[in-house]
Amino acid sequence: VVIGSNLGWCAFFGAIGYKVNTLGVDLSPMLTSMAKSIYHKEVRGRNLPVNIDFTQGDPCMAPLDNAGIVYIDGITFHKKMRAKVYVRLACDLPVGSLVVDHSGFLSTTFFNQHFKKVDYINWRDDEEITVYQKTRKCKFDPQSLYNRVSATKSREMLETDTDSPNDVVIEDSAVQVADTSQWTY
C-alpha cells in the first residue's frame, strides 16, 4: 500500500520492481486520475503477474489488513493526518509488516526501526527514509485514539496545515504512536 501515492511512481516501482500487488491511495482526485491514466497508457498490457490499482480517498483509511509493506509518501501531510496514519498503522497493520516512511517518526512502542538511509532522489538532498517493522498488535480502537490526538496549542491550530508539527502527542502515554520529540521540518 502506498499512502500518498501522488502520480503513482512508487506504486509502479513496487509492483513492477518487486512483483507485489500494489494499491496507491491519495487524497487528490486529480493525482489519482493521473496515476490511473499513466497506468493505462504505460503499464497495463505488460502482462504483469501482479495487480496495480489506485483509489482516491482519505489516506488515514487506506486498507491495511493484508498489507505486507506500507510506503508513506506523505512529507506534506499536516501533523494531524500524519498522527492518524500512524494510529492506523499501530492498530490495523499486521505484525511483521514493514513501513517505509520519509519522516521517521513512528514510535518503538509498536515498531522496530531497522535503518535510516539518506535518499538523494527526492525533494531535499538530506531527506531520510526510515524502515520499520511492526512488532506488536495495538488493542485499541483507532477511532478512540484519533479522538485523543491533541496539541499543546489550540485545537483550531491543530486542524491547520501551517502549524509546527512538533506538538502532536497521543494523550495516553501508554500508547505512544509517534516519536514527536524529533518532529522538525
Side-chain angles (χ1 to χ4, degrees), residues 143-160:
Q143 188 61 49
S144 67
L145 289 179
Y146 288 169
N147 296 336
R148 291 179 170 196
V149 173
S150 65
T152 57
K153 297 180 181 179
S154 69
R155 278 221 185 258
E156 293 78 35
M157 290 190 75
L158 183 63
E159 299 286 340
T160 68

Side-chain angles (χ1 to χ4, degrees), residues 12-31:
F12 297 139
F13 181 75
I16 296 168
Y18 292 98
K19 309 287 188 264
V20 294
N21 294 328
T22 306
L23 172 66
V25 181
D26 202 278
L27 193 57
S28 168
M30 180 186 71
L31 290 175

Side-chain angles (χ1 to χ4, degrees), residues 114-132:
H114 282 281
F115 64 88
K116 281 188 176 190
K117 179 186 181 311
V118 176
D119 178 10
Y120 295 103
I121 60 170
N122 273 300
W123 299 105
R124 298 185 320 249
D125 285 342
D126 63 344
E127 185 175 334
E128 291 183 332
I129 293 178
T130 308
V131 177
Y132 298 92

Side-chain angles (χ1 to χ4, degrees), residues 2 10 15 39 51 57 62 74 76-77 80 84 87 89 108 151 165 167-168 178:
V2 178
C10 292
Y39 169 75
N51 295 318
T76 60
F77 287 173
K80 187 172 184 180
K84 286 184 175 185
V87 166
L89 293 172
T108 56
D167 295 323
V168 170

Side-chain angles (χ1 to χ4, degrees), residues 7 9 12 16 30 32-48 52 54:
L7 294 174
W9 301 121
F12 297 139
I16 296 168
M30 180 186 71
T32 302
S33 175
M34 292 173 74
K36 287 180 179 182
S37 177
I38 292 168
Y39 169 75
H40 288 290
K41 289 179 184 174
E42 303 294 335
V43 179
R44 189 177 71 174
R46 290 188 181 210
N47 247 355
L48 295 174
I52 305 172
F54 296 94

